[in-house]
């Protein structure tokens, strides 16, 4: 079965988008609804820095249309630690804060690790065993963004596959571009948008990533986010890729 391709940006609150992506005069409280009407996903960074209330997740879900999904970046307290095997309490706090209120609007959980975090097979394997399959009846899907060259190890890819976790494919000038096994969904983070390009990426590069997403969708859902880089261009890049996919 062919999966669905969802394309988006990071969050929805960013001053330079007002008057460029967002129409002049749009109320800030209506910006998420505008993202929901023009893109198909967003990656939430706020959950990385602090917990949210269940009502907040419920309100986010109400603001967007059917089919739109939120990828949530897991708390930094889960991943930015020396011993990952000791993250159980932080993981439980993160998954138990009310994310299930998103219902079918909940996309993958992004577990992002520091560029200095090296691959320790025993410790990383213990961390993966801590990741829950579901919370409050809502199935969870996990994506791992690792940024150190030591993760170019067959043992890492095997344990990610065994855990059913996707390995994030990052398009970045410094981080390794890792391609994991098929686990039923794929996660792309595209971080090379440039100010001089009206659509962030050159049209040929947009087409390249659109084709890559289509190929990956033959094996499951695909999530693609234009993140960082020339952030002011990210909405235009996402819209260009959605148009290319159409």
């Amino acid at each position: 079965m062919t999966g669905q391709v969802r394309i988006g940006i990071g969050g929805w609150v960013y001053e330079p988008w007002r008057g460029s992506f967002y129409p002049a005069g749009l109320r800030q409280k209506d910006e998420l609804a505008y993202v929901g009407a023009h893109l198909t996903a967003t990656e939430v960074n706020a959950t990385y820095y602090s917990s949210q209330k269940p009502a907040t997740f419920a309100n986010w879900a109400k603001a967007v249309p059917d089919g739109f999904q939120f990828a949530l970046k897991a708390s930094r307290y889960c991943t930015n630690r020396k011993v990952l095997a000791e993250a159980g309490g932080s993981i439980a706090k993160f998954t138990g804060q009310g994310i299930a209120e998103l219902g079918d609007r909940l996309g993958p959980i992004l577990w992002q690790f520091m560029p200095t975090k090296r691959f320790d097979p025993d410790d990383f394997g213990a961390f993966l065993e801590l990741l829950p399959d579901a919370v409050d009846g809502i199935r969870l899907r996990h994506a791992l963004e690792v940024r150190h060259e030591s993760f170019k190890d067959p043992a890492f890819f095997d344990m990610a596959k065994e855990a059913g976790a996707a390995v994030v494919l990052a398009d970045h000038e410094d981080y390794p571009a890792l391609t994991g096994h098929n686990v039923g969904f794929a996660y792309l983070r595209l971080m090379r948008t440039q100010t001089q390009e009206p659509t962030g990426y050159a049209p040929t590069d947009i087409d390249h990533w659109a084709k890559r997403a289509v190929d990956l969708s033959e094996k499951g859902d695909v999530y693609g986010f234009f993140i960082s880089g020339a952030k002011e261009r990210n909405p235009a890049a996402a819209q260009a890729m959605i148009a290319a996919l159409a």
Side-chain angles (χ1 to χ4, degrees):
M1 179 187 295
T2 302
Q4 183 169 348
V5 180
R6 292 180 174 88
I7 304 298
I9 53 179
W12 54 89
V13 179
Y14 186 55
E15 176 61 35
W17 292 342
R18 295 170 185 148
S20 56
F21 174 49
Y22 297 129
L26 183 72
R27 298 179 302 178
Q28 184 172 336
K29 69 177 184 178
D30 294 329
E31 290 175 349
L32 175 55
Y34 190 88
V35 168
H38 292 83
L39 306 178
T40 47
T42 192
E43 182 187 279
V44 180
N45 196 45
T47 49
Y48 178 77
Y49 292 104
S50 61
S51 296
Q52 309 294 316
K53 296 179 180 179
T56 298
F57 293 108
N59 288 335
W60 291 352
K62 293 174 185 175
V64 296
D66 289 344
F68 187 96
Q69 289 191 351
F70 297 85
L72 302 182
K73 188 184 289 189
S75 169
R76 54 185 168 163
Y77 297 110
C78 300
T79 54
N80 294 356
R81 54 173 62 236
K82 185 175 181 180
V83 181
L84 294 173
E86 297 174 353
S90 294
I91 292 172
K93 181 179 179 181
F94 172 78
T95 57
Q97 68 185 296
I99 65 175
E101 294 293 328
L102 289 171
D104 60 5
R105 268 79 161 165
L106 177 60
I109 307 299
L110 174 67
W111 304 89
Q112 184 185 81
F113 298 87
M114 297 289 284
T116 53
K117 189 64 176 178
R118 302 179 64 92
F119 177 50
D120 178 327
D122 292 338
D123 192 40
F124 207 86
F127 174 84
L128 291 177
E129 291 180 0
L130 297 173
L131 301 183
D133 295 327
V135 60
D136 295 337
I138 302 295
R139 182 171 70 96
L140 300 181
R141 290 184 288 182
H142 304 290
L144 310 171
E145 185 180 21
V146 294
R147 297 175 160 187
H148 193 277
E149 293 287 339
S150 62
F151 283 89
K152 289 183 176 179
D153 186 323
F156 164 65
F157 295 113
D158 288 345
M159 66 174 56
K161 180 183 180 182
E162 180 68 23
V167 176
V168 170
L169 174 56
D171 184 35
H172 190 278
E173 60 185 14
D174 296 325
Y175 307 144
L178 304 179
T179 303
H181 297 290
N182 168 45
V183 294
F185 80 100
Y187 199 118
L188 314 176
R189 299 188 89 234
L190 309 177
M191 297 178 277
R192 292 182 192 251
T193 47
Q194 298 182 25
T195 300
Q196 67 270 25
E197 286 287 350
T199 54
Y201 277 66
T204 53
D205 293 326
I206 293 286
D207 289 342
H208 163 78
W209 285 108
K211 183 179 185 303
R212 188 78 178 263
V214 169
D215 290 344
L216 288 167
S217 73
E218 294 179 1
K219 298 179 179 179
D221 291 342
V222 179
Y223 298 84
F225 298 101
F226 290 90
I227 300 290
S228 64
K231 190 173 178 179
E232 69 276 11
R233 297 295 193 196
N234 288 345
Q239 289 179 297
M241 187 159 167
I242 289 171
L245 289 164

